[in-house]
Structure formats: C-alpha cells, structure tokens
C-alpha cells in the first residue's frame, strides 16, 4: 500500500493523521423522530383496508398490488368511493401522493379539508401504475383531511398512499420560454412529493423480491433516492439529488441522510459507506447488504458524499457540517484512510488513486457503470470524484479554521489533476482519451458511460481543445447506439455540459429528460421515468444552479451568479431562492444584465455577479464602474461585487 507524500512538517502531518486513528468507528445514531403530525392508517391496504371507508363496488384485492400483497379497487361505473379521513395533530403544509392505475378515464382523486374541497385531479386512462400528487395544503391542529378516490369509466386500483411535508422553500420560476416554467413547476412538485414526513410508520427492506418488506420502522427525515419500489435511498442517487433538495430547503433531510451514510463508513466496512439505507436512517437496505464484507460498494460514492456535504454546508450554513464528529470523521477517513486502503494495484508514482477490485459491485467496483463487464481497477468517474472530494475537504477545513489541512488538500487536489492530465488520461483526445485501467494494467479508451462523462463533469480535465473534443465525443455517444437505456443516467448529461460551458447542449438534454417523463422506465417495477426521483430533483438543480449559475455560500454570506441561458431564452427569473436564512429573487436578461432582490434576511450578502467575456465597463444600478475580469477554469468573466442588504434590489449590467 502507498502512503501520501506531504510537504507538511512531520509534527503537522502527525497532528492531521492522529484523529483518523482515534475517531469512533460507529458514532451514536440519532433517536427515532416523534410520531407523524398527519398519519394515514394502512396506506398500503396490507391490513385489509383498516381505517378506510368503502362503498358498494369497492374493496381490497390481491390481483394487482403496486407493492406488498394488497391494493384498493373501484369497479367501473359511477358513484363508488374509497376514502379515509385523518386528523392533523400539528400545524403544517402537506402533499398527499398515491400510486394509481386505471382501466379508463374519468375517475378522480381528491382532498377535502373540514368538508371543503381543496384539490382534485381527474385521472387519465393508464393501466400501469403512476404516482399522482395533490397539495400543497395547509392544516392546523384538529383539521380533518379526507383523502378520496372515486370511480370513473374503467376500473381503478390504488396503493401506497403517502403524506409528505411541504418543502420549506417554494421557488417559483418565470421566463420568456414557457417550457422551462412548465418543466420547473413539474419538477419542484414531483421532487417535494418524495419527501417523508418524519415519524411515519413504513415498511423496511421492501424490494422486488420482498415487496412488502420484512417489517416496519419509524421513518426519519429523508427522501426517496433510488427505485420507487424499494424502501430506501441510495448514496449515488442522494448525492445527485442533494442540490435540488437544498434549493427546496430540505436541509434537515440532507444533513440526516449524509450523517447516516457517514456513520456506516466504519473500519469494518473499510471506510465505505453502505450503498443504500432504509428510511429509518439506521439500517442498510437488505437487497444491497449481506454482511460487512459483502455489500454493494462503488469507489466514486464516498468521494461524492464528501463533495456534497460541502455543498450542503454552503446552501444551509448549518455548522453541523463542521462540528458533527460523525461527519468530520467521515470526511477525513474518506480522503485519507479510504484512499490508502484501496490503492495498491496500479503504480501512480507519488499520487494515490483509490481503486476497485475489478470483481463486481459486491466486492467493490471502480466505476458507477454497472452495465459494463470490464474488470476496472481505476476509472474516470472515481478519479474525478476523488479530485472533487479533495477540493471539498480543503474548503471544509478552511471554513473550520484549519489552514494546514486546507493547504494539504488543496495540494493533493492540484497534484491529482496534474497527474490526470499529464499521465493518467494518456495523450489522446475524444475517443482516444483514457477513461480507466483494468486489473492487469491495460488502459481503456472509447465509451464508458459514467466513467466517460464524469471526467468533464467533475472538472478534472484541463480547459482547452482536449476538453472541448471530449465534450463533443460525450454528446455524440450519448445520442448514438451506446446511449444509456435508463433515464437516471441521462440526468447527468445536463450537469456535464453546464460544467463545460455549453448551455445549449445542456438545455437539449434537460428537454429530452423532461420529454421522456411519461415513458415507462426500463425497470417495469419502477413505473414511469418521471417517477424515478432523480429526474425531478436534478431538473430543479439544473435550472437554478445550472442555467441561472447560482453558487451559494451561506456561511460567508456570499452569493455568486452567472447567466447560462440557452439560445432563444431571453430572460429567466426565480423567486424564493433560499440561501441560509435569506430569500432572494434573481433575474437574468440574456447574459448581459442580472437583477438581485434580497427579499428577507438577517444581514447583507455580497453578490458576485459574473458575465461571460471581457467587457469595457459595467453599471450598478445605472452607475458606471470600471470593468474587472477574472479567469475561472480557462474562461474569462467580467465580475462585479456589491453588497445587497435585506429589502434592497440591485441591477448589474455589462456594457
């Protein structure tokens, strides 16, 4: 095994390494949440419909459940109804979802509060289950909510009713392009519908083999991230959904899910977090976990979780990301001990690169590309994710006031990127760029799906002609015969091209993903593509972080923006953009004017407004200023920094 080389003095290096050896292997887990404030009895009809009311022509059946063994049915015709009335025990906003299949049009799904209709949907004919959501509705203690399904021209099957808390933030998009508005509205509501109401009782270890699970548990703050027919969330999916969740204000869910993964990354697990957890935030999802030495693990995942923890810290400003011992131990184990333990097959000189075994997902695979039979020991998505984890560790350490550790990881990130571009990725371009190495040392080029597009997405490829050629190659392959079959893989493509400065290509892929939302997923048990949670969460993030170029830093009270509007989109605006304890409205008019309103907050923010290109002058609220330019990752921007106090609106324009 190779150790990192460091330029720190020996005493400083030992001071850094000692906590890794003494940190607790299994931090104390949080207690279960209090009972849910709004609870549906027998939401999956497994208790024979306990708590539900059935008219003639309705009942509980076993012929076509969405999960478990039972479902509710309504025969074709008029006047039939299945309903339940529940009483709220606390104040809040809520959404109610249900999986529904219909043999014809005309059936309805509705909500009534204290006898007054508040939401209703007429259901289309769709023989395969689709997930329908109603809300946001506001309830006070004692309010009575009726959930009702009424018959139509064909049979109706209903299963798996779920209550979600309304997300703390309600961002609203407007634009010259109605498609982005419709896309964002759908994605925001769909993403919110996957959030669990803490304290809800639900199945554990449900999957396609054991559709009803192996028992029940109390759900903690969490959201669905993975197949909708499994009762848990996945590290890879959660990492990709975290930004969208942050935009919706789901900071408690992000923190508790990250902490649950962190607590599972023990020495016994060789510092891998488990691949998936049940919604209790405690137990591994059994389909992916057999024993401490036999569970699904993929090298990019722990690195992505470190990167996303730093991102969650910037969105929320929550000091737990620096102060929680379980989280801090995870960052340090991942960026040091994990790399050392999993680096021994390929000689990378003085640079350490985490490796897989080449023997499949239950033994530790180097890449997220599970559809490949290549025996990879090192992969492009793993090394790119390791690079970003180093950068995140440096930022977290600097925020904590640990300049020595920050400097160490800045050097490690820089050295890893230099090694990647000078040696690891070879000398070829496009199809000839190296994107992995096999266990016998062979360099692999060509198309590797995740281990191809993650390299530009993670920013490890140096700017210039070589990176541009590789982006061309990724776009062509993703449209060709080798494109992924599963929609969740395609959700990474907008991120890849936004990171590469190609908003038109990113928008093309966003539109493609959205257009495919009602198509049946390749996994028939999953439902439609749009009912894969990653689709909605990523479209939220790709609109705000991507097209609007929002980079938050709540602890530093800084907000950076950069318009990336695609061709033909004249303007794009978002209201109720939450960063820390502040709310903003941001509008971009093409790539030459941005307006920021600091709607509410406890203190002023520094707004760094970036515009592509070098401009002669800028104007702040009409007052001309000299232009200032900066080069970021090979791209020149005109940059303006100005203070925006709560209640103030500022417009910046380049001239």
């Amino acid at each position: 095994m190779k150790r990192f080389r460091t330029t720190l003095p020996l005493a400083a290096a030992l001071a850094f390494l000692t906590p890794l050896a003494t940190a607790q292997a299994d931090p104390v887990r949080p207690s279960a949440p209090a009972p849910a404030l709004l609870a549906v009895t027998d939401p999956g009809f497994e208790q024979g419909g306990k708590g539900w009311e059935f008219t003639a022509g309705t009942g509980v059946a076993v012929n076509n459940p969405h999960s478990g063994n039972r479902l509710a049915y309504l025969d074709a015709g008029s006047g039939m109804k299945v309903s339940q009335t529940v009483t709220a025990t606390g104040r809040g906003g809520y959404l109610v979802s249900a999986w529904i299949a219909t043999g014809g049009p005309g059936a309805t799904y509705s909500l009534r509060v204290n006898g007054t209709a508040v939401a209703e949907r007429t259901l289309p004919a769709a023989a395969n289950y689709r997930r329908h959501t109603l809300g946001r509705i506001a309830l006070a203690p004692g309010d009575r909510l009726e959930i009702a399904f009424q018959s139509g021209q064909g049979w109706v099957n209903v299963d798996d009713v779920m209550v979600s808390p309304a997300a703390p933030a309600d961002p609203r998009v407007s634009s010259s392009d109605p498609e982005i508005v419709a896309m964002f509205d759908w994605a925001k509501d769909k993403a919110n519908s996957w959030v669990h109401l803490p304290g809800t009782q639900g199945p554990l270890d449900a999957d396609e083999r054991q559709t009803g699970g192996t028992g029940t548990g109390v759900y903690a703050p969490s959201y669905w991230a993975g197949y909708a027919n499994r009762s848990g969330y996945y590290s890879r999916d959660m990492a990709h959904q975290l930004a969208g969740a942050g935009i919706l204000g789901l900071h408690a869910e992000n923190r508790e899910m990250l902490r649950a993964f962190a607590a599972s990354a023990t020495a016994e697990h060789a510092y891998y977090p488990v691949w998936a957890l049940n919604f209790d935030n405690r137990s591994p999802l059994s389909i992916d976990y057999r024993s401490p030495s036999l569970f699904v693990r993929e090298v990019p995942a722990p690195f992505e979780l470190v990167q996303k923890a730093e991102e969650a810290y910037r969105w929320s400003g929550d000091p737990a990301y620096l102060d929680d011992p379980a989280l801090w131990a995870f960052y340090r184990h991942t960026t040091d001990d994990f790399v050392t333990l999993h680096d021994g097959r390929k000689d990378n000189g003085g640079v350490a690169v985490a490796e897989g075994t080449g023997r499949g997902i239950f033994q530790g695979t180097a890449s997220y590309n599970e559809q490949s039979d290549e025996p990879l020991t090192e992969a492009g998505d793993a090394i790119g994710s390791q690079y970003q984890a180093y950068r995140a560790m440096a930022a977290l350490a600097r925020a904590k006031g640990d300049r020595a550790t920050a400097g160490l990881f800045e050097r490690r990130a820089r050295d890893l990127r230099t090694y990647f571009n000078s040696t690891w990725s070879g000398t070829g371009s496009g199809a000839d760029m190296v994107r992995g190495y096999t266990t016998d040392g062979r360099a692999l080029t060509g198309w590797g799906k995740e281990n191809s597009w993650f390299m530009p997405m993670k920013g490890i490829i140096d700017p210039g002609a070589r990176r541009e050629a590789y982006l061309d190659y990724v776009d062509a392959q993703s449209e060709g015969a080798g494109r992924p079959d599963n929609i969740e893989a395609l959700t990474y493509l907008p991120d890849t091209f936004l990171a590469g400065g190609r908003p038109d290509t990113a928008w093309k892929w966003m539109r493609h993903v959205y257009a495919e939302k009602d198509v049946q997923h390749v996994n028939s048990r999953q439902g439609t593509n749009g009912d894969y949670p990653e689709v909605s969460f990523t479209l939220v993030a790709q609109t705000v972080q991507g097209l609007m170029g929002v980079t938050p830093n709540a602890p530093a009270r800084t907000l950076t923006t950069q318009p990336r509007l695609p061709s033909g989109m004249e303007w794009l605006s978002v209201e109720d953009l939450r960063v820390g304890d502040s709310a903003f409205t941001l509008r971009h008019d093409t790539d030459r004017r941005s307006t920021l309103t600091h709607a509410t907050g406890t203190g002023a923010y520094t707004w760094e407004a970036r515009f592509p290109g070098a401009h002669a002058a800028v104007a702040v609220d009409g007052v001309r200023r000299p232009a200032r330019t900066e080069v970021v990752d090979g791209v020149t921007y005109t940059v303006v920094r100005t203070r925006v106090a709560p209640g103030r609106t500022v417009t910046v324009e380049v001239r």
Side-chain angles (χ1 to χ4, degrees), residues 282-417:
R282 292 166 174 259
S283 54
L285 195 64
S286 63
I287 193 172
D288 298 294
Y289 188 91
R290 299 170 188 170
S291 75
S293 60
L294 192 63
F295 62 98
V296 176
R297 47 204 189 273
E298 302 182 6
V299 173
F303 294 129
E304 283 216 284
L305 293 176
V306 174
Q307 177 192 355
K308 294 301 178 176
E310 191 272 337
E311 191 172 322
Y313 175 58
R314 288 189 287 102
W315 273 108
S316 65
D318 187 344
Y321 287 103
L322 304 182
D323 300 337
D324 188 309
L327 288 170
W328 196 255
F330 172 67
Y331 310 151
R332 302 189 72 167
H333 282 308
T334 300
T335 54
D336 193 272
D337 282 354
F338 176 83
V339 178
T340 301
L341 285 171
H342 303 284
D343 175 29
R345 291 178 177 271
K346 183 181 182 299
D347 184 3
N348 295 295
V351 178
V353 178
E355 299 168 347
T357 64
R359 299 198 303 270
I361 60 176
F362 275 88
Q363 285 75 35
T365 182
S367 174
Y368 279 153
N369 185 1
E370 298 176 0
Q371 299 177 359
S372 171
D373 58 1
E374 297 168 335
L376 289 171
T377 188
E378 294 181 3
D381 45 345
I383 195 171
S385 298
Q386 182 177 333
Y387 166 68
Q388 285 296 338
Y390 284 170
R391 297 185 72 225
M393 185 66 206
L396 289 162
R398 194 166 297 284
K400 201 174 174 71
D402 186 348
R403 291 184 294 175
T405 299
L408 172 64
F409 279 96
E410 285 167 355
R411 287 191 293 275
R412 288 184 180 176
R414 184 171 59 249
D415 291 348
L416 186 63
R417 181 171 175 172

Side-chain angles (χ1 to χ4, degrees), residues 12 26 358 408 636:
D26 189 11
L408 172 64
T636 299

Side-chain angles (χ1 to χ4, degrees), residues 473-547:
Y473 175 70
V474 169
D475 190 35
Q477 293 299 309
S478 299
E479 288 188 325
R483 68 181 300 167
D485 295 327
N486 52 330
I487 195 70
E488 60 271 26
L490 296 178
T491 63
Y492 287 97
L493 295 176
D495 298 310
T496 299
F497 292 105
L498 286 163
R502 298 190 179 191
D504 285 355
T505 310
W507 177 231
K508 176 189 73 175
W509 285 108
M510 288 175 68
R511 296 181 68 218
H512 175 81
V513 169
Y514 180 63
E516 296 288 307
K517 66 180 173 45
D518 294 324
V519 175
Q520 185 69 29
H521 191 273
V522 292
N523 177 351
S524 61
R525 297 182 182 92
Q526 155 63 37
T528 64
N529 286 331
D531 284 327
Y532 198 102
E534 203 166 353
V535 169
S536 52
F537 280 90
T538 54
L539 287 174
V540 168
Q542 287 153 4
T543 301
V544 175
Q545 276 192 322
L547 299 182

Side-chain angles (χ1 to χ4, degrees), residues 202-256:
L204 302 177
D205 293 324
D207 56 51
E208 50 270 28
R209 307 166 308 168
Q210 43 198 27
T211 58
T214 58
T216 60
V218 179
Y219 287 178
S222 58
Y223 49 81
W224 231 290
Y227 285 135
N229 64 307
R230 297 182 183 177
S231 61
Y233 55 88
Y234 282 74
S235 54
R236 171 181 175 169
D237 295 70
M238 186 262 171
H240 202 202
Q241 293 175 209
L242 179 140
I247 292 164
L248 296 177
L250 301 173
H251 302 312
E253 288 77 5
N254 279 342
R255 183 188 63 244
E256 295 307 308

